[in-house]
Amino acid sequence: MAALAGVSGLWQAAEQWPVWTGMVLTAVAVGLGLKPGRLAVQRWGGRSALSAGPVRYSLAHLDALDPQQFELAVCSLLRRDGLTAEHVGRAGDKGADVLVVDHSQRRVVVQCKRLRPDRRVGDQDVQRVNGTYRHDHGAHFAVIVTTGGFTAAARASGPRYGIQLVDRDALERWADLGEPLYGILRVPDEGASRRRWILGSWRTGRIARVTANQQRP
């Protein structure tokens, strides 16, 4: 109905102001054709594909996704954890499929590798992320998430370069069992702790005030 109303309104405008309507439509078409317009459409399309609210994915579900769908699923999981996450994966993304700002206001690069369960992310992939996440994205650290595993060389170099590795087992704990990613990786997040402390203090103070009011004669 909304689409029909929009088309009807556009038709009436074209009949009354044909020149102005043509100019506006031309400007919109040109704007969408330029790079900022294309990126805005892509970003809107990516957000519309994200799940709303609490999400949970089984490994079988994640295995059935294509690479871009897997990136969107990872973005949804990050948002489920309360992190600010934006899907940016596309050609020339310089190793960033999802950009995150966590509770401590740290910038984090997440790269997603949708592989078969028996495949491994190699050290060359870790090296590529290491070469871009700080200099190109200004991130504090990076995370590589895969439906497969990591080679021994990748596991050795990842922590050395400040890159957290999420293999299939960790992904199951995060995506299916609902554990927060930072808890699995044992990444401290002072901002989240501070917010929990403030919220807890507020609740404690509120309970104390209510109890005091109830005890008054």
Side-chain angles (χ1 to χ4, degrees):
M1 294 296 293
L4 290 176
V7 171
S8 176
L10 184 61
W11 182 265
Q12 292 177 3
E15 288 183 335
Q16 296 182 19
W17 306 288
V19 176
W20 285 105
T21 304
M23 292 174 63
V24 169
L25 291 177
T26 300
V28 170
V30 171
L32 292 178
L34 296 175
K35 185 175 181 180
R38 292 198 307 272
L39 292 179
V41 171
Q42 290 173 358
R43 201 169 285 126
W44 179 87
R47 284 182 179 145
S48 66
L50 294 175
S51 301
V55 293
R56 185 164 292 183
Y57 301 108
S58 67
L59 289 179
H61 178 87
L62 295 175
D63 288 337
L65 301 179
D66 64 32
Q68 185 178 51
Q69 290 171 336
F70 179 59
E71 294 169 8
L72 291 170
V74 168
C75 190
S76 292
L77 290 168
L78 291 162
R79 291 180 178 180
R80 183 193 70 184
D81 285 357
L83 306 174
T84 301
E86 180 183 7
H87 175 242
V88 295
R90 59 183 61 89
D93 57 26
K94 294 185 178 180
D97 294 319
V98 181
L99 291 178
V100 174
V101 177
D102 66 16
H103 299 109
S104 298
Q105 299 305 305
R106 292 173 299 194
R107 193 172 175 86
V108 183
V109 162
V110 180
Q111 186 178 80
C112 306
K113 294 289 187 182
R114 219 290 291 156
L115 305 176
R116 294 200 311 265
D118 60 334
R119 298 293 298 275
R120 299 288 180 266
V121 176
D123 186 55
Q124 68 276 9
D125 296 299
V126 175
Q127 298 292 343
R128 277 195 289 268
V129 174
N130 178 53
T132 60
Y133 83 84
R134 285 182 296 260
H135 302 295
D136 291 286
H137 302 290
H140 289 75
F141 62 93
V143 180
I144 301 178
V145 183
T146 181
T147 49
F150 293 92
T151 64
R155 288 189 180 279
S157 62
R160 189 165 64 247
Y161 298 132
I163 301 174
Q164 301 284 342
L165 307 180
V166 180
D167 62 10
R168 189 172 181 84
D169 291 338
L171 178 61
E172 182 177 31
R173 292 171 59 190
W174 182 35
D176 197 8
L177 302 182
E179 296 183 40
L181 180 62
Y182 274 30
I184 296 170
L185 299 177
R186 298 182 180 179
V187 174
D189 193 353
E190 296 177 0
S193 301
R194 184 161 53 250
R195 275 217 289 274
R196 284 195 297 269
W197 181 85
I198 292 172
L199 181 59
S201 300
W202 177 84
R203 287 176 175 170
T204 301
R206 185 174 182 274
I207 292 172
R209 287 193 298 273
V210 171
T211 303
N213 290 333
Q214 290 174 346
Q215 291 176 349
R216 288 177 181 172

